[in-house]
């Protein structure tokens, strides 16, 4: 009976270790400095745009005068998405990039609707957009920083 | 040399605990702070809508934007928790590496 238990115990340890050593190596992608820098750059561009809007009056604040900003941001986000797709185990970051892209579309739609009122966005409306985008960018940067710490430990 | 199941499991458990105790408070603090910020922003959207600073359509768009922001934050929390778990598992394996490899007489870990 004791021999059976001894063999069973060793078997369990071996099975546990083999399972862990086989599948617990990496669940999340490694740190990618290019992604990290791209997120920081997108954040800077968004903040520059919102700060400019705060100081503009009609007609400078109209969305038609900011087409270049939206176009460049969409191109940069799509480029980041393509890069992120090439990195293994990067599904969570890909979801975040898709949500960022969708959020930029929502900001643009808000801006276009604002044009109809023939008024610039109020400071409060700019503040809510800023708060939402800050949450998005800070979250993405924190995740990249966590990956960086993890990668440096390996 | 033979493997002692109690000693191995205790060593692995200690390594798990060490990693979780070191990392979880930071993630928890971040999640709490973000939840508060998102709630404050939601209140501001309602206020601006009532004041007429944003139309019904704009309010709906801003709610969607808020929802996106909350989802991005939750994805980060999920990712950081997975990284923490990954670190804990690797630390546990590291803690028993020498004894396992010695007992098996080859480099498994």
């Amino acid at each position: 009976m004791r021999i059976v238990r001894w063999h069973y115990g060793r078997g369990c340890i071996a099975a546990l270790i083999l399972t862990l050593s086989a599948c617990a190596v990496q669940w999340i992608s490694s740190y990618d400095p290019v992604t990290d820098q791209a997120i920081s750059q997108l954040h800077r561009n968004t903040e520059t745009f919102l700060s400019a809007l705060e100081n503009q009056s009609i007609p400078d604040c109209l969305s038609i005068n900011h087409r270049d900003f939206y176009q460049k941001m969409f191109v940069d986000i799509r480029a980041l998405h393509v890069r992120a797709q090439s990195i293994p185990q990067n599904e969570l970051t890909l979801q975040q990039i898709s949500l960022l892209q969708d959020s930029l579309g929502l900001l643009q739609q808000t801006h276009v609707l604002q044009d109809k009122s023939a008024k610039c966005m109020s400071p409060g409306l700019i503040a809510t957009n800023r708060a939402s985008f800050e949450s998005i960018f800070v979250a993405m940067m924190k995740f990249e920083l966590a990956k960086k710490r993890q990668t440096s430990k390996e | 040399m033979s493997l002692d199941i109690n000693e191995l499991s205790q060593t692995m458990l200690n390594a798990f605990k060490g990693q979780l105790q070191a990392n979880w408070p930071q993630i928890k603090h971040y999640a709490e702070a973000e939840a508060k910020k998102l709630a404050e922003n939601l209140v501001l959207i309602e206020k601006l809508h009532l004041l007429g600073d944003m139309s019904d359509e704009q309010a709906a768009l801003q709610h969607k934007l808020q929802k996106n922001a909350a989802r991005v934050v939750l994805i980060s929390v999920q990712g950081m928790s997975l990284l923490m778990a990954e670190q804990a598992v690797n630390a546990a394996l590291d803690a028993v590496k020498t004894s396992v490899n010695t007992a098996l007489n080859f480099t498994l870990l």
Side-chain angles (χ1 to χ4, degrees):
Chain A
M1 189 64 188
R2 285 185 69 175
I3 292 170
V4 171
R5 231 184 266 159
W6 184 80
H7 279 293
Y8 179 74
R10 283 192 73 149
C12 283
I13 297 174
L16 176 69
I17 290 167
L18 278 170
T19 306
L20 292 175
S21 64
C23 68
V25 184
Q26 200 177 12
W27 296 324
I28 298 283
S29 65
S30 299
Y31 170 69
D32 175 39
V34 177
T35 300
D36 195 6
Q37 282 159 21
I39 295 166
S40 296
Q41 189 57 54
L42 288 166
H43 178 223
R44 267 195 295 276
N45 294 348
T46 307
E47 185 47 47
T48 304
F49 164 72
L50 292 172
S51 296
L53 266 191
E54 273 176 328
N55 297 307
Q56 287 176 340
S57 48
I58 291 280
D60 294 341
C61 67
L62 295 175
S63 65
I64 198 160
N65 295 318
H66 293 280
R67 269 185 313 193
D68 289 351
F69 162 75
Y70 289 111
Q71 196 178 357
K72 190 177 180 312
M73 282 288 284
F74 278 120
V75 169
D76 289 348
I77 294 171
R78 274 195 290 269
L80 179 60
H81 195 272
V82 169
R83 181 180 176 86
Q85 274 178 322
S86 70
I87 300 170
Q89 287 159 314
N90 211 18
E91 289 73 21
L92 294 179
T93 299
L94 278 169
Q95 285 177 41
Q96 289 184 316
I97 296 168
S98 296
L99 286 164
L100 173 63
Q101 187 174 350
D102 188 59
S103 300
L104 183 68
L106 294 169
L107 172 62
Q108 189 178 25
Q109 287 176 61
T110 304
H111 200 172
V112 170
L113 284 169
Q114 186 65 31
D115 292 352
K116 289 182 188 168
S117 69
K119 281 194 282 187
C120 294
M121 279 195 213
S122 68
L125 186 48
I126 293 172
T128 62
N129 279 292
R130 177 178 279 129
S132 296
F133 277 95
E134 264 179 19
S135 286
I136 291 172
F137 286 119
V138 168
M140 294 177 81
M141 285 191 260
K142 268 199 167 279
F143 189 25
E144 290 309 308
L145 196 66
K147 287 184 199 172
K148 189 179 185 178
R149 277 200 297 265
Q150 188 88 332
T151 305
S152 67
K153 278 177 191 164
E154 285 163 9
Chain B
M1 186 187 166
S2 63
L3 290 167
D4 181 330
I5 192 163
N6 293 326
E7 195 187 319
L8 277 182
S9 61
Q10 194 55 51
T11 307
M12 289 175 87
L13 189 63
N14 289 343
F16 268 132
K17 274 189 190 167
Q19 292 298 325
L20 297 179
Q21 278 166 2
N23 295 314
W24 178 241
Q26 292 169 32
I27 297 174
K28 188 174 169 261
H29 177 73
Y30 166 67
E32 283 169 355
E34 275 305 313
K36 191 167 179 269
K37 267 199 267 176
L38 290 165
E40 284 168 356
N41 204 30
L42 205 57
V43 170
L44 183 59
I45 291 168
E46 291 306 317
K47 197 175 151 192
L48 291 168
H49 186 218
L50 287 171
L51 287 171
D53 269 355
M54 66 169 84
S55 65
D56 293 352
E57 286 165 294
Q58 284 176 317
L61 292 169
Q62 289 301 305
H63 276 142
K64 277 188 193 166
L65 182 52
Q66 269 289 103
K67 213 191 276 180
N68 281 357
R71 285 174 67 190
V72 174
V73 169
L74 282 175
I75 291 169
S76 278
V77 170
Q78 186 191 350
M80 288 188 288
S81 303
L82 274 173
L83 282 169
M84 184 181 71
E86 190 181 294
Q87 211 174 311
V89 168
N90 288 334
L93 287 173
D94 264 358
V96 296
K97 193 173 170 177
T98 310
S99 41
V100 170
N101 288 345
T102 307
L104 297 175
N105 211 20
F106 75 95
T107 311
L108 174 71
L109 302 175

